[in-house]
Amino acid sequence: MKDINVLLIAPYLGLQETARKIAMKKPNVHLHTCVANVVEFDRIKKEIDNDNYDVIISRGGTARMIEQNTDIPVVEIQISMYDVLRVIKTTEGFGERFAIVGAASITNTAKLLCELLQYDLEIVSATGQVEAQKQIDRLETEGCQLIIGDMLSTTTAKQRGMNALLITSGPESVETAFDQAVMICRNYIYLKKEKDLFNDVIQYAPWDTLVLDGNNKILHNTMEESEYNKKVFRFISKSLPAFWDCSTSSFEQIIDQKLCRITAHIRKPNGQELLFVYVMNTYVPTILGDPSIRVVEPYREKNPPVDEFAATSFLGQLKDKIVAYARTRQPILIIGEKGTGKEDTAAYIYHNSTYTNTPFYEVDCEMMSAKSWNQLMTSTNSILLGQNATIYIKHIESLSLEQIQMLGKYILFAKTDYRNRLLFSLEENSKSISSISHKTALTDALTCLVLKLPPLRERKDDISNLATIYINNMNREFGKSVINFDATAKDFLCSFPWPGNLRQFKQIIKELVILSQSSYITKEELQRALNEEQIPSVSLASSFDLSQSLEDITTDIIRIVVAEEGGNKSRAAKRLGIARNTLWRLLNK
C-alpha cells in the first residue's frame, strides 16, 4: 500500500504528542500536525491547502467544521467513557460545584456514564460558540465554579475567569481513529485542485498580500509560512472588523521587534466586494538593541494565566481588582515576593485594558547599566517619549531612591503617563528593608494604584485547587493522564512553605507530571523532586586567585558580591560601599 499522508488537527498540544507516538507504530503513515481549534478555521484551512493530504484526523466541533469545508475524508476521534471518567476523577477533592458542558458527542457519553455509575452531575449540551457562552453565563450566575468540557466550552469558561478542565482523548481513542483513517485511505484517493486566483494582478507586488471575500474566506495569500507571519496573521484576523468598516484603513503593530505596517482596501472586481490586505515590515526606530529594554507580546506566545486568578474565591477577588484597575488609565505598582506572578499580572492587566494590541514595552531595571539608564532618560528615541503603548518597568528595587524620584519627575514632565499605560513591579525581599522606601518614593512621585500579590505560604486553602488546575493543564500539554496527588502527598503539598511561590509550585508539578508513571503522585515522589531542587551552592570565594593583579582581584570581588546578591547590582553596590555607576564601570572594564 502506498504511503498515507495524515493531517492531525489537534485542539490541544497534548493530543499532538499522543498521535505522534501512535503514528510511529503505523507503517506507511506520514503524520503532519497542526495545533488549532474550531475558532481558528482560517489557519486550519491554510494548513490543509499547503499540502496533499489523504485524510484528516481531528475531534469534536473542529472535526465537523473541517468536514463541512473540505473534500478530504475526515475521521473524528470519539470521546470515550474512559476519557470522561478520567477527567471527572481529577475533580475529587475540588469541593466546589461543577458542570459538564459540550457538544452532543461529549454530553451523550457523559450522561450514559453518570447513569451507569449513578453520578449526580449537571450535564449541558451546547452546540456552537453562542450557545456555549449562553449556558456558561447561566451556570456562572448560578454559582458554578468549574466547567468540564471540550475545547470550545473550556476556552469560553476561562475567558470569563472560571476554572475549566478539558476532556482529553486517551491513546486508545486516538489509535482507533488512526485505524479508521488507514482503512479509508485504502479505497480513497484525494486530488487537490490548485487555484491561482489574482496571481496576474498581485504576484509581483513588493508586499505580502491577502485577499478575502465577504465571509473572511482567504482567496489568495502570498505570505510565506513562518512563526513571524503566524503572529502577523493573528493580528490581521483580530483587526478584520475594523478593516471592513471603511474603504481604506491602516494600522501599525510591533511584532517580534519589527514594525508591521498593514494597509487594507475594499475593492469590487466583477461586482464582488473583496478585502485586499497589504503587509510591510521594517525595524522599530527605538533603543531596543539594549537587553534591558525590549518589546514583548503577552499572550501571543502563551495562554493568559487565568488559573492563578480564578482557582479560588480569594484569587477571584484579586482577579476582579486587577480587571478593575486595568480599565483605568492610572499607573499601577505590583508588589510581591519572587515567583508570585508579577509579570503574569502585568500581562493580564495589558490583556484586559484598552491598550491590548498596542506595543508592550518591558524595562528591566535589574539588567540596566549606566548607559541604559542615560539612554532611557535622555535619548530622543526613548520609549518614555512615545505614545499609545503599555510600558512595564520591573525590578524598581534595583534603582536607587534618587533614580526613582528622577524617573517620576521625567514621566510627569514628558506626560508619559498621559500618553501611555504605565506598570511597575517591586520585588519584596525578606533580607531587604528598602521595599517600603522604594514603594513610597514611587507613589509619592506618581499617583499609583497598588496591587499586593500574596505569597503562596499565605494561601494554604488555595493550594489543592491550584494543583488540580495545573495537573490538568500539564496533562493537556504533555499528553499525560495523571489524576492528582494522593492524600498524604496532598497534605505535604499544602504544608510545604514554597519559598519560590507560584513559579516553584508550577515547576515542581510540571516535573512530577512528566515523570509520573501512575495515576496519582505520591508523597515520596514529591519529596524527591523538592530535594533534587535543593542543589548545594558552591562558594565562589573558594576559587579566589590572589596571584592576579589588583584590578582583576577587585573585579572578582565585585562579581562575587553581585552573585551573592542574586544579580541585584544596587544591593551589591550598597554592600561594597560604592556608587552604582562605579560598580558598572568596574564590571565593564
Side-chain angles (χ1 to χ4, degrees):
M1 188 178 73
K2 79 176 188 70
D3 291 345
I4 300 172
N5 285 323
V6 178
L7 173 63
L8 172 77
I9 304 297
Y12 60 93
L13 189 61
L15 180 58
Q16 176 180 254
E17 296 303 317
T18 301
R20 283 175 176 169
K21 293 175 184 176
I22 292 171
M24 290 176 65
K25 300 184 293 183
K26 303 288 182 183
N28 305 111
V29 170
H30 292 286
L31 179 65
H32 308 261
T33 63
C34 173
V35 179
N37 59 50
V38 66
V39 298
E40 300 171 294
F41 184 75
D42 284 343
R43 187 159 68 88
I44 295 173
K45 185 66 167 59
K46 182 178 178 181
E47 176 61 31
I48 293 172
D49 291 341
N50 274 345
D51 209 338
N52 289 310
Y53 297 113
D54 299 309
V55 65
I56 299 173
I57 298 176
S58 191
R59 66 169 229 167
T62 306
R64 289 187 290 278
M65 177 66 77
I66 296 170
E67 194 170 34
Q68 295 169 7
N69 289 273
T70 182
D71 295 329
I72 305 175
V74 178
V75 175
E76 181 178 354
I77 301 171
Q78 299 298 322
I79 302 296
S80 70
M81 285 192 182
Y82 183 72
D83 295 332
V84 178
L85 179 60
R86 182 169 55 240
V87 74
I88 290 176
K89 290 289 290 181
T90 66
T91 65
E92 290 182 352
F94 187 77
E96 300 288 348
R97 179 185 170 190
F98 63 92
I100 298 176
V101 180
S105 59
I106 288 179
T107 56
N108 289 343
T109 303
K111 287 175 183 176
L112 182 57
L113 176 67
C114 292
E115 197 174 21
L116 291 172
L117 299 181
Q118 297 185 338
Y119 285 171
D120 184 19
L121 297 179
E122 185 170 359
I123 301 172
V124 181
S125 294
T127 302
Q129 191 167 16
V130 174
E131 181 65 18
Q133 291 172 348
K134 178 181 176 181
Q135 295 295 345
I136 290 171
D137 285 344
R138 176 183 63 80
L139 290 167
E140 183 181 24
T141 302
E142 294 174 1
C144 186
Q145 299 294 316
L146 172 69
I147 297 296
I148 296 174
D150 53 21
M151 200 69 188
L152 180 60
S153 61
T154 55
T155 300
T156 302
K158 287 183 178 183
Q159 288 171 347
R160 281 153 175 73
M162 297 177 70
N163 296 312
L165 300 183
L166 176 69
I167 298 175
T168 57
S169 296
E172 61 282 345
S173 300
V174 180
E175 185 155 19
T176 299
F178 268 81
D179 292 340
Q180 292 175 358
V182 171
M183 186 177 298
I184 289 172
C185 287
R186 285 174 181 166
N187 303 302
Y188 190 94
I189 298 176
Y190 171 69
L191 300 175
K192 186 176 70 172
K193 297 178 181 180
E194 297 182 350
K195 297 182 179 180
D196 296 320
L197 184 63
F198 304 115
N199 274 356
D200 292 339
V201 179
I202 57 177
Q203 66 178 338
Y204 299 113
W207 313 282
D208 284 334
T209 307
L210 286 171
V211 182
L212 302 93
D213 66 13
N215 295 317
N216 288 329
K217 178 182 178 181
I218 296 178
L219 305 178
H220 187 86
N221 178 18
T222 64
M223 295 176 66
E224 295 181 355
E225 182 71 18
S226 70
E227 289 302 315
Y228 175 79
N229 279 341
K230 288 179 183 178
K231 296 176 183 179
V232 174
F233 186 79
R234 284 198 293 270
F235 176 72
I236 292 173
S237 298
K238 294 182 70 173
S239 303
L240 286 176
F243 290 152
W244 282 108
D245 275 347
C246 54
S247 59
T248 300
S249 55
S250 180
F251 286 80
E252 291 186 354
Q253 171 71 11
I254 296 178
I255 300 175
D256 285 352
Q257 299 189 15
K258 290 182 180 179
L259 184 62
C260 181
R261 292 190 173 97
I262 300 171
T263 303
H265 301 277
I266 297 176
R267 299 285 184 265
K268 294 183 179 180
N270 301 321
Q272 182 185 11
E273 194 170 71
L274 301 176
L275 180 68
F276 290 73
V277 181
Y278 304 99
V279 181
M280 179 183 291
N281 298 298
T282 185
Y283 288 95
V284 182
T286 64
I287 54 173
L288 295 176
D290 192 302
S292 66
I293 303 173
R294 67 190 186 104
V295 177
V296 296
E297 295 168 274
Y299 305 156
R300 299 187 192 279
E301 300 172 359
K302 60 180 181 177
N303 292 326
V306 296
D307 299 332
E308 287 88 342
F309 300 102
T312 66
S313 58
F314 173 75
L315 256 326
Q317 294 171 8
L318 179 59
K319 182 207 71 173
D320 292 341
K321 186 176 183 180
I322 291 171
V323 172
Y325 279 8
R327 292 170 180 167
T328 72
R329 294 180 59 90
Q330 291 293 109
I332 299 174
L333 171 61
I334 306 165
I335 301 176
E337 294 180 8
K338 185 175 182 179
T340 49
K342 294 182 290 298
E343 291 187 18
D344 282 342
T345 302
Y348 193 80
I349 291 171
Y350 167 83
H351 183 68
N352 286 277
S353 73
T354 57
Y355 285 89
T356 188
N357 289 325
T358 63
F360 184 104
Y361 293 98
E362 181 184 273
V363 180
D364 190 347
C365 298
E366 195 171 47
M367 296 179 63
M368 189 169 284
S369 64
K371 180 180 179 181
S372 304
W373 173 258
N374 288 334
Q375 283 185 321
L376 181 68
M377 300 300 290
T378 62
S379 172
T380 56
N381 281 331
S382 172
I383 59 174
L384 298 178
L385 296 177
Q387 62 183 2
N388 197 33
T390 296
I391 303 174
Y392 172 41
I393 303 176
K394 65 180 185 178
H395 290 301
I396 64 167
E397 72 278 357
S398 297
L399 299 177
S400 67
L401 295 179
E402 291 77 12
Q403 286 176 313
I404 291 179
Q405 292 167 353
M406 186 187 304
L407 177 63
K409 291 178 181 178
Y410 184 97
I411 288 171
L412 292 176
F413 177 78
K415 296 184 178 181
T416 307
D417 56 334
Y418 180 78
R419 301 189 309 274
N420 303 275
R421 183 58 186 273
L422 298 182
L423 305 175
F424 303 88
S425 67
L426 171 65
E427 184 173 301
E428 290 183 313
N429 189 326
S430 59
K431 297 180 180 179
S432 173
I433 61 172
S434 64
S435 296
I436 296 176
S437 300
H438 281 72
K439 172 188 172 184
T440 303
L442 184 66
T443 53
D444 284 350
L446 302 170
T447 306
C448 287
L449 300 173
V450 178
L451 275 175
K452 179 72 165 64
L453 304 181
L456 195 54
R457 64 179 176 275
E458 295 178 6
R459 298 171 47 203
K460 300 293 185 183
D461 294 338
D462 300 344
I463 289 177
S464 179
N465 286 353
L466 282 169
T468 297
I469 299 295
Y470 285 155
I471 288 173
N472 181 260
N473 288 348
M474 298 307 169
N475 283 340
R476 182 175 64 180
E477 183 173 355
F478 299 109
K480 304 287 287 187
S481 300
V482 176
I483 292 175
N484 215 316
F485 289 87
D486 66 23
T488 56
K490 189 166 287 189
D491 289 341
F492 186 81
L493 190 79
C494 295
S495 63
F496 189 75
W498 298 108
N501 293 296
L502 283 173
R503 187 181 303 164
Q504 179 192 23
F505 183 78
K506 191 171 185 178
Q507 181 62 32
I508 288 293
I509 290 181
K510 179 179 180 180
E511 293 173 4
L512 289 169
V513 169
I514 291 174
L515 297 175
S516 178
Q517 300 298 317
S518 60
S519 297
Y520 288 90
I521 299 170
T522 65
K523 178 182 177 181
E524 290 72 23
E525 290 171 328
L526 175 57
Q527 287 178 315
R528 183 164 55 251
L530 289 168
N531 290 336
E532 289 174 355
E533 187 186 46
Q534 307 297 323
I535 301 173
S537 60
V538 178
S539 172
L540 293 174
S542 63
S543 58
F544 196 61
D545 185 4
L546 293 175
S547 65
Q548 303 177 91
S549 67
L550 179 60
E551 182 177 349
D552 291 338
I553 291 173
T554 301
T555 302
D556 281 353
I557 291 173
I558 292 173
R559 287 174 177 162
I560 290 171
V561 174
V562 170
E564 290 178 349
E565 292 296 335
N568 190 309
K569 296 182 177 63
S570 293
R571 290 201 294 267
K574 289 179 182 178
R575 181 171 156 189
L576 291 166
I578 60 177
R580 193 174 176 195
N581 288 348
T582 302
L583 183 143
W584 280 327
R585 178 175 55 79
L586 293 172
L587 284 177
N588 292 323
K589 276 189 174 182

